[in-house]
Amino acid sequence: MGELVAHLERRGYVERTVDPADRRARIVVTTAAGRRALALAADRIAGIERMLADELGDDALRALRTSLARVPGLIDSDAREA
């Protein structure tokens, strides 16, 4: 997680600030550039979801989401068995 935060910080999407409740800790907050990137990503995701809904229909899209939500658990259980 630290590497991810450092990467985002180098790109200017987040910054670390001192936690006023615990001066030893840091709080990661989005910058203006980070908020713009999140808004752009949300717009793109919404467009992809509209395209999928138009092509597949609402029921198939719900089924796709349900199936995809199961993937991390399947991968984790496979890794534990290996």
Side-chain angles (χ1 to χ4, degrees):
M1 186 57 76
E3 288 181 32
L4 175 59
V5 171
H7 175 79
L8 292 171
E9 189 173 33
R10 283 191 302 274
R11 300 293 186 270
Y13 295 128
V14 300
E15 61 186 15
R16 299 177 215 218
T17 61
V18 175
D19 182 347
D22 180 354
R23 309 279 306 159
R24 297 167 297 170
R26 300 290 179 260
I27 298 173
V28 178
V29 296
T30 54
T31 62
R35 289 187 294 278
R36 286 191 302 272
L38 286 170
L40 177 62
D43 287 345
R44 296 261 171 94
I45 291 168
I48 291 167
E49 288 182 340
R50 282 191 301 276
M51 179 201 56
L52 289 171
D54 290 347
E55 183 66 29
L56 302 175
D58 290 336
D59 291 341
L61 182 56
R62 267 191 296 281
L64 175 61
R65 282 187 178 128
T66 300
S67 295
L68 290 173
R70 293 178 54 206
V71 170
L74 295 171
I75 292 170
D76 286 346
S77 67
D78 184 52
R80 283 190 297 265
E81 293 172 8

